[in-house]
Amino acid sequence: MAQKLALNSDQQKKIEDTFQQHRLKLVDLDATLRREEITLEPLMAADTLDEAKTVAQIDKVAQARAELEKANARFLVGIRRVLTADQWKKLQEVSRTDGGGRGGPPGRGGGRGRD
């Protein structure tokens, strides 16, 4: 990807640093979202629906998803800050053609594919 974007060594280092800064947070938020989704599954599958619990859990899933999306967007802003306008456009093009879909960062595929 670095070659496709013609990144210089300084840009590569800054992007790697940005990735390392955001990596643990993204992993934690992804795990939280998965946990909340797993908690919702039996509530939805129950023979008798407990609407209050189910709606409360849906709110938790939505909140977890929003937090993950915000963290991912902040990560992308960090990468965007390092790239030139042409490099950013190229990244978006490559992400779309490589199946990334949302103009995501190098090596991350643009998202989790849950949308």
Side-chain angles (χ1 to χ4, degrees), residues 32-80:
T32 297
L33 173 57
R34 289 175 190 266
R35 243 186 331 273
E36 298 300 353
E37 289 173 336
I38 288 168
T39 302
L40 177 61
E41 288 173 7
L43 294 172
M44 293 296 290
D47 290 339
T48 305
L49 178 69
D50 184 333
E51 191 169 343
K53 281 185 180 180
T54 303
V55 170
Q57 189 60 34
I58 289 169
D59 288 343
K60 288 180 181 182
V61 168
Q63 183 62 40
R65 185 171 287 128
E67 292 302 318
L68 178 59
E69 290 299 322
K70 287 189 291 187
N72 190 49
R74 287 188 289 269
F75 173 54
L76 289 175
V77 167
I79 289 175
R80 173 61 184 97

Side-chain angles (χ1 to χ4, degrees), residues 7-20:
L7 297 177
N8 64 42
S9 60
D10 185 53
Q11 287 176 309
Q12 289 180 39
K13 176 160 179 17
K14 286 179 181 177
I15 288 172
E16 181 61 30
D17 290 347
T18 299
F19 176 68
Q20 290 303 324

